[in-house]
Amino acid sequence: MTTIAGATPVVVIGGGVAGAAVATRLARAGRAVTLLERNPAWRWRAGGVFASPAAVAELRLLGLPDDALRRVARPIPAMRVETPTGTAFELTYGADAGGEPAAGFDRSALDPALLDLARDAGADVRVGVTVREVRLGDHRGGSVVLVDGVGGLEAVPARVVVGADGPRSMVALTAGVARPPRLGERVGISWHVEDGTSDDASPTADPNGAKRARMVVLPDGA
């Protein structure tokens, strides 16, 4: 096992939205940060296909430029929800009263843009790196993250380890703070269809030309 010289004060595990945002803010604050992301390139994630206006505001506060926001976020005036019993309603987040609309994120563009933002802030972003083990508090009072390296396992020392590695977080499990999910197992299917001509009479069209999203809750999906 090889130890990478020079203890990094912070290691962030996970290069999704949360991990990239944490790494960016810490790097801008002058902290030495290493972000470790398992996937060498972006892979499909369903999260973010319908998000509140607060998500767009937070990305703007993080420093994502407006031109990048326009590329990665599409305004959605409402989400139409249809239940198996025939009940239907719309989530608008106040857009129908003049507020900012919700947004659908193109994660294939958003995630790489946020990793670039972290790099620009000074974070050491390493993609295609698989974390095999996290040892908390056993390296001169700090921690060690074991990753797959060219010559086998490599040890990345750190004073702080941030787990942004999803609902089955290795960091949370190691720290003894993992919690069971609030809901049982669910199956969700999301799909995108090509834009057609706007039709104001359609339940999925908006007078301004933007399209509403639609959620159909299947039987036993509650």
Side-chain angles (χ1 to χ4, degrees):
M1 181 175 66
T2 303
T3 300
I4 299 178
T8 300
V10 183
V11 171
V12 179
I13 300 177
V17 174
V22 168
T24 298
R25 291 192 179 279
L26 287 173
R28 286 180 182 158
R31 304 292 183 182
V33 183
T34 296
L35 185 151
L36 305 175
E37 165 57 37
R38 176 180 59 186
N39 297 297
W42 178 85
R43 60 189 293 269
W44 168 252
R45 293 181 174 92
V49 292
F50 183 72
S52 78
V56 177
E58 287 299 322
L59 288 173
R60 187 173 285 113
L61 286 174
L62 187 63
L64 199 64
D66 284 341
D67 61 337
L69 276 172
R70 286 191 292 270
R71 288 196 307 271
V72 304
R74 177 171 181 171
I76 300 179
M79 165 75 82
R80 180 179 173 86
V81 181
E82 301 174 9
T83 71
T85 61
T87 301
F89 59 93
E90 288 191 345
L91 300 174
T92 66
Y93 289 104
D96 53 340
E100 293 294 323
F105 290 114
D106 178 359
R107 294 292 299 272
S108 69
L110 175 63
D111 288 35
L114 290 180
L115 289 179
D116 286 341
L117 200 65
R119 291 187 184 96
D120 292 342
D124 178 14
V125 177
R126 306 180 190 178
V127 298
V129 176
T130 300
V131 175
R132 292 302 181 186
E133 186 180 348
V134 178
R135 297 176 182 174
L136 299 176
D138 68 348
H139 184 74
R140 297 182 181 177
S143 303
V144 171
V145 178
L146 301 180
V147 302
D148 281 341
V150 177
L153 283 179
E154 295 182 353
V156 182
R159 293 185 179 181
V160 176
V161 178
V162 177
D165 48 341
R168 296 178 177 83
S169 169
M170 179 187 299
V171 178
L173 184 63
T174 302
V177 296
R179 298 177 180 178
R182 294 182 179 180
L183 299 175
E185 293 291 333
R186 296 288 195 275
V187 174
I189 302 173
S190 65
W191 68 94
H192 298 250
V193 295
E194 185 176 355
D195 283 346
T197 302
S198 295
D199 178 4
D200 292 352
S202 168
T204 58
D206 181 81
N208 295 322
K211 297 298 183 68
R212 292 175 170 85
R214 183 183 180 196
M215 177 187 296
V216 178
V217 183
L218 302 176
D220 300 323

